[in-house]
Amino acid sequence: MNNKSFISELSRRLGYTQDDTQKMVTTVIDSMNDAFQSGDFIAVPKFGTFEVKKRLERIVINPGTKQRMLVPPKLVLSFKPIAAIKEKLKNGGQGNG
């Protein structure tokens, strides 16, 4: 689903104009980005948790050249869905509820 169809469906379900819905989605994403920048996590009820984690420095080997390379530490965004979503995906999208 691309942004246009997402906004269209969301505005239809909520009864707002597409412009207002786009502004709301942009505001939510900007707020989430601000929280991630300050190292906070975001828990969305009935969906899951977004969290910024630090990946440590590590050494990797290029399989083609066998050359060892150092990968510097970095921050990555992780998402952990609630158990009900995991279970539904495990069952091929056929959930219990």
Side-chain angles (χ1 to χ4, degrees):
M1 177 179 277
N2 63 24
N3 184 57
K4 186 177 179 179
S5 60
F6 176 71
I7 295 300
S8 177
E9 178 63 20
L10 198 57
S11 67
R12 185 188 67 75
R13 288 186 186 195
L14 296 174
Y16 290 105
T17 66
Q18 287 192 16
D19 286 341
D20 288 343
T21 304
Q22 180 68 53
K23 288 176 189 173
M24 285 188 279
V25 169
T26 300
T27 302
V28 168
I29 291 172
D30 289 345
S31 297
M32 291 174 76
N33 190 29
D34 292 344
F36 297 143
Q37 293 297 323
S38 59
D40 294 337
F41 71 94
I42 297 174
V44 180
K46 298 183 181 179
F47 188 62
T49 304
F50 295 90
E51 184 178 13
V52 175
K53 294 183 178 181
K54 184 173 185 174
R55 276 216 180 138
L56 299 176
E57 181 176 77
R58 64 190 197 279
I59 296 174
V60 297
I61 300 174
N62 182 330
T65 63
K66 306 294 186 210
Q67 181 181 4
R68 298 173 72 133
M69 295 177 284
L70 185 65
V71 177
K74 63 181 175 180
L75 297 176
V76 294
L77 182 61
S78 70
F79 172 70
K80 182 177 181 185
I82 62 170
I85 292 177
K86 280 186 186 176
E87 191 62 34
K88 189 172 183 178
L89 291 174
K90 240 189 250 184
N91 295 332
Q94 306 300 317
N96 294 339

